[in-house]
Amino acid sequence: MDYSQFFSAALNRLHDERRYRVFADLERIAGRFPHAIWHSPKGQRNVVIWCSNDYLGMGQHPKVVGAMVETATRVGTGAGGTRNIAGTHHPLVQLEAELADLHGKEASLLFTSGYVSNQTGIATIAKLIPNCLILSDALNHNSMIEGIRQGGCERKVFRHSDLAHLEELLREAGPDRPKLIACESLYSMDGDVAPLEHICDLAERYGAMTYVDEVHAVGMYGPRGGGIAERDGVMHRIDVLEGTLAKAFGCLGGYIAAKAEIIDAVRSYAPGFIFTTALPPAICSAATAAIRHLKTSSWERERHQERAARLKAILNAAGLPVMSSDTHIVPLFVGDPEKCKRATDILLEEHGIYIQPINYPTVPKGTERLRITPSPYHDDGLMDGLAEALLQVWERLGLPLRKRSMAAE
Ligand SMILES: *Cc1c(COP(=O)(O)O)cnc(C)c1O
């Protein structure tokens, strides 16, 4: 039997559909965010990163790097086991306390990634609620979808952020059926925000529990970086908040925060928590340093919003098709997978600008885009250079420009 044929056939399908992905080999330069070295096939090149989810550059913050180095030097590298065996260490316990405080909850529980926290967290919560019905937003992240699937209970999908549809499904389910509403607070491909307050109203009216993924909002929204729920004053009304340490906090790991008995039950039943080695102490200390810093420093959040607004304004003024976004995400519409890939290749090779193409299945076919994430450290010069490079690429690929708006100029 020739087993390799199965794999080459699978790869050929991706090539045929123009979905085969290539990773850029990058080396960031600490202290010079967003600059990096690209190890290209033709040798090393300096590039500027425009698509990192280390949204605030915290992965290079001296306090965060310092905490990681100090802890690794003091206590060593790995955790040494699962939490049950030998992996519960002091920096991890401190981090969980920090996260519970960040979200105003009684407790929190750490997982090895945000993906795992959704997958095993939702599945476990769903299994512990008899006859649970999950109401899931149509644009939920794959990690939530997998968690829901593994939970094995009935699931209904409501149209994206559509409150009337959600209410219809809640009403249909009846008051006696246990219901869990699962959504994100900030959808990172379009940059739109969920109507959390109204979702909480519905949850309370129809007796549903709520689970909200704040992965793209923690650290960046709310007076202490607690996320959109903190900003909107509804943190206390959401049963389970889920977040990551890998995006705005610049490290690695995921978590849920909730009432003590929910956390204790997930801790006791979730296979994706029980059977895997705990996060290393140095990562936990670094994450704690990032969270503590962002609890009191608003400079990063304010500058981040200001930078995103400026980038939207100059791209709009140049006639580039910026998709509407209420947040720090700046999506630029392309609408064709091949041109999307080609645009990013030209940007990288000829302009030293790194932006990943966002193609199907991450977004629906026909809505392919460039997803730009300016950080507090992308200055005016870098932005003007980006706009200029994009205009050249747009012209070369025959992509349409909008009529230049006088107001924006
Ligand atoms: C990135 C992401 C996750 C996964 O978080 P990781 O910590 O990267 O595993 C979960 N949910 C959403 C919406 C995400 O975008």
Side-chain angles (χ1 to χ4, degrees), residues 2-316:
D2 173 15
Y3 286 98
S4 67
Q5 65 174 322
F6 302 122
F7 305 101
S8 47
L11 289 170
N12 286 339
R13 283 198 297 277
L14 292 179
H15 282 295
D16 288 347
E17 293 169 23
R18 304 286 180 261
R19 293 212 281 127
Y20 181 77
R21 293 183 181 203
V22 182
F23 301 148
D25 177 356
L26 296 168
E27 187 174 329
R28 307 204 302 174
I29 309 163
R32 291 198 54 217
F33 194 86
H35 295 273
I37 295 162
W38 173 38
H39 294 268
S40 85
K42 294 178 198 147
Q44 292 191 10
R45 297 261 316 267
N46 291 324
V47 296
V48 177
I49 299 179
W50 282 96
C51 55
S52 177
N53 283 341
D54 183 354
Y55 292 118
L56 303 176
M58 291 303 287
Q60 307 185 5
H61 194 287
K63 284 187 191 169
V64 180
V65 176
M68 189 175 284
V69 171
E70 188 278 325
T71 303
T73 307
R74 191 163 44 83
V75 305
T77 54
T82 66
R83 292 288 293 276
N84 285 303
I85 291 178
T88 296
H89 50 77
H90 193 58
L92 197 159
V93 174
Q94 285 177 308
L95 174 54
E96 286 182 338
E98 199 67 43
L99 288 165
D101 172 76
L102 177 67
H103 292 291
K105 298 291 177 196
E106 290 171 2
S108 85
L109 189 68
L110 270 177
F111 301 85
T112 40
S113 73
Y115 193 98
V116 173
S117 64
N118 274 335
Q119 184 188 34
T120 203
I122 297 176
T124 304
I125 289 167
K127 282 195 174 131
L128 293 175
I129 303 174
N131 191 32
C132 183
L133 169 69
I134 297 190
L135 302 168
S136 173
D137 187 282
L139 292 190
N140 277 344
H141 189 258
N142 176 272
S143 55
M144 302 179 82
I145 297 170
E146 281 300 310
I148 292 166
R149 201 178 56 75
Q150 286 173 29
C153 63
E154 190 185 354
R155 172 201 67 153
K156 287 187 176 161
V157 175
F158 59 94
R159 286 187 296 276
H160 176 53
S161 289
D162 184 332
L163 292 165
H165 193 202
L166 174 60
E167 179 160 20
E168 188 185 313
L169 296 176
L170 284 165
R171 196 182 306 114
E172 254 173 42
D176 298 330
R177 175 124 193 227
K179 299 168 285 289
L180 176 67
I181 301 172
C183 67
E184 297 177 29
S185 64
L186 194 165
Y187 290 83
S188 81
M189 290 302 148
D190 294 311
D192 60 315
V193 171
L196 289 185
E197 189 186 345
H198 298 293
I199 290 174
C200 290
D201 291 344
L202 288 176
E204 283 159 20
R205 189 170 320 142
Y206 292 92
M209 194 172 145
T210 44
Y211 181 108
V212 177
D213 174 320
E214 286 255 43
V215 160
H216 291 281
V218 288
M220 291 172 280
Y221 294 86
R224 297 201 312 156
I228 297 289
E230 186 193 23
R231 184 195 76 177
D232 292 357
V234 296
M235 216 157 58
H236 60 290
R237 297 173 68 193
I238 294 167
D239 294 296
V240 185
L241 287 160
E242 183 271 341
T244 185
L245 306 173
K247 289 169 183 168
F249 296 131
C251 296
L252 180 74
Y255 64 89
I256 56 172
K259 266 196 188 130
E261 65 263 26
I262 297 177
I263 295 300
D264 205 16
V266 173
R267 183 185 71 88
S268 309
Y269 282 93
F273 171 82
I274 296 171
F275 297 104
T276 189
T277 298
L279 283 172
I283 291 186
C284 296
S285 293
T288 300
I291 296 163
R292 281 189 185 153
H293 177 80
L294 290 173
K295 271 181 183 170
T296 54
S297 170
S298 299
W299 180 84
E300 289 82 359
R301 276 186 287 279
E302 281 162 17
R303 169 97 177 152
H304 189 215
Q305 292 299 317
E306 182 274 327
R307 292 285 84 194
R310 181 174 192 276
L311 185 64
K312 286 178 200 173
I314 67 166
L315 298 186
N316 267 319

